[in-house]
Amino acid sequence: MKITNSEYNEMLKASSPKTKLHKTLPKAFFVGGLICVAGEAFLHLYMRYGAGKETAAALTSITLIGLAAILTGFKVYDKLAKHAGAGTIVPITGFANAVVAPALEFKTEGFILGVGAKMFVIAGPVIVYGIAASVLYGLIYYIMGTVMG
Amino acid sequence: MGNYYGKGTINLDNAPSVLSYASAVGPKEGKGPLADYFDYIGEEAALGEDGSWEKAEVVLQKNAFRTALEKGRLAETDISFIFAGDLLNQCTCSSYGGRDFDIPFIGLFGACSTMAESLALASVFVEAGVAQNAAAMTSSHFCSAERQFRFPLNYGGQRTPTAQWTATAAGCVVVAPRKNPPYIKAVTFGKVTDMGVKDVNNIRYTHICHKHTSVRASLRLLLFRQKRPVILQIMVVYINPPHKQGQQVSFLVLVRQVPQIARVFKNRTELVNVFIRQYI
């Protein structure tokens, strides 16, 4: 029996398990939503204790990042993420996890070439293209501002 | 002396024996359906090593090798060559494992086929009479493989439904000149085939496509043409010594931790049927 590549890929597609969207979507929605609710709660808490809206927002981000980093260190975050998927990756906490996880993993290769170099192996591209996009956005904003007066 | 049968298959006329074999696995494998067949089951993934996952994998490989020697009542000096490899860059774990033994070492990389590759090469060496006893060995560790090929362990990414779980395990087989069964009567080397599978996580299929041609050739040659029990190997194979010719042979084929494939074959017919369904 000679199988062509397309036949083989058909067979593969037919027999491979598929993502169960009816299970994964609600879980991601629920957990991601809860993280946002926690963020809202922190925001209100900080504002109640006298922080301005901008300061409170910054403090909220810092708190969520800190919590996610600590939970990653305790090996809790990845267990939660196993169920939550995008619900834990998309919020700012996912970004914290993506930096802390490789930092932990590569500690065995030393602090310079291990932790230091490998820490951004996942988050690096997001930072690079995020900054590049913001530069581009800034340029457009500046030019539009000059032209429109 | 062996002869080339064609299509990557070499007939081994002297049919070397599998003198002994051993396996060492991690805790997850120890809870699986094949647990009774393993010689050593580690209690935790680090296997008593706190330095790195690579060190843990070295522990498994050395354990499998020493146990295989013990079971075959062999000393280190009885082994002419070690054929070994693993999944990591520069075959790190095999090299660090081999460091402790005063035995000529032949490092191999065949990814998931390293066990078959080492076993085949060891058999050909013994068949040719250039090695007295040769050890074929391989290992992998879930954590070291994740680190090399996928994401850090604590990263919160979800595994795709087609993702596989790399076994935390090491296996060692000592091949010796013909003595007692099981014998190795032929070996088949597969070709590199690209079936255009784009899903890198779907290792089962990317690997099966490498193998299905050679497995089909082997099956036809080994199971239908030969009357005696033979070794057939996909990932790691342990064979209970057959009682009499023609009687049922227990084949144990462990293909990672994939429940659909990892199973114990009760007899030759079932093995053939399952293989034909799965691979051909």
Side-chain angles (χ1 to χ4, degrees), chain B residues 202-218:
Chain B
N202 204 341
I203 294 174
R204 177 182 156 203
Y205 280 94
T206 39
H207 286 295
I208 290 168
C209 74
H210 279 304
K211 293 192 172 91
H212 88 270
T213 329
S214 59
V215 168
R216 195 171 60 205
S218 303

Side-chain angles (χ1 to χ4, degrees), chain B residues 70-106:
Chain B
E70 263 171 45
K71 284 166 85 178
R73 298 205 180 112
L74 295 164
E76 256 182 59
T77 45
D78 296 328
I79 306 289
S80 311
F81 295 101
I82 294 177
F83 293 81
D86 52 77
L87 296 172
L88 305 179
N89 286 341
Q90 296 157 359
C91 292
T92 305
C93 299
S94 308
S95 311
Y96 276 74
R99 189 170 67 161
D100 285 11
F101 310 120
D102 192 22
I103 303 169
F105 174 85
I106 299 162

Side-chain angles (χ1 to χ4, degrees), chain B residues 62-157:
Chain B
K62 287 200 289 203
N63 184 306
F65 180 69
R66 293 217 167 97
T67 314
L69 289 192
E70 263 171 45
K71 284 166 85 178
R73 298 205 180 112
L74 295 164
E76 256 182 59
T77 45
D78 296 328
I79 306 289
S80 311
F81 295 101
I82 294 177
F83 293 81
D86 52 77
L87 296 172
L88 305 179
N89 286 341
Q90 296 157 359
C91 292
T92 305
C93 299
S94 308
S95 311
Y96 276 74
R99 189 170 67 161
D100 285 11
F101 310 120
D102 192 22
I103 303 169
F105 174 85
I106 299 162
L108 303 172
F109 182 84
C112 294
S113 70
T114 309
M115 192 64 229
E117 187 186 8
S118 57
L119 186 54
L121 287 171
S123 310
V124 172
F125 262 60
V126 172
E127 166 82 15
V130 294
Q132 185 57 32
N133 301 303
M137 190 158 53
T138 194
S139 66
S140 63
H141 193 297
F142 171 74
C143 301
S144 64
E146 284 295 301
R147 168 197 177 82
Q148 168 124 27
F149 299 106
R150 298 180 196 100
F151 289 111
L153 290 177
N154 300 121
Y155 176 60

Side-chain angles (χ1 to χ4, degrees), chain B residues 27 42 61 96 136 150 195 226 231 245:
Chain B
Q61 200 171 106
Y96 276 74
R150 298 180 196 100
M195 300 300 280
Q226 309 272 345
I231 276 196
Q245 194 178 325

Side-chain angles (χ1 to χ4, degrees), chain A residues 1 8 15 97 105 108-109, chain B residues 51 147 153-154 156 205 216:
Chain A
M1 189 171 77
Y8 188 81
S15 67
N97 169 258
E105 182 78 31
T108 52
E109 289 179 21
Chain B
R147 168 197 177 82
L153 290 177
N154 300 121
Y205 280 94
R216 195 171 60 205

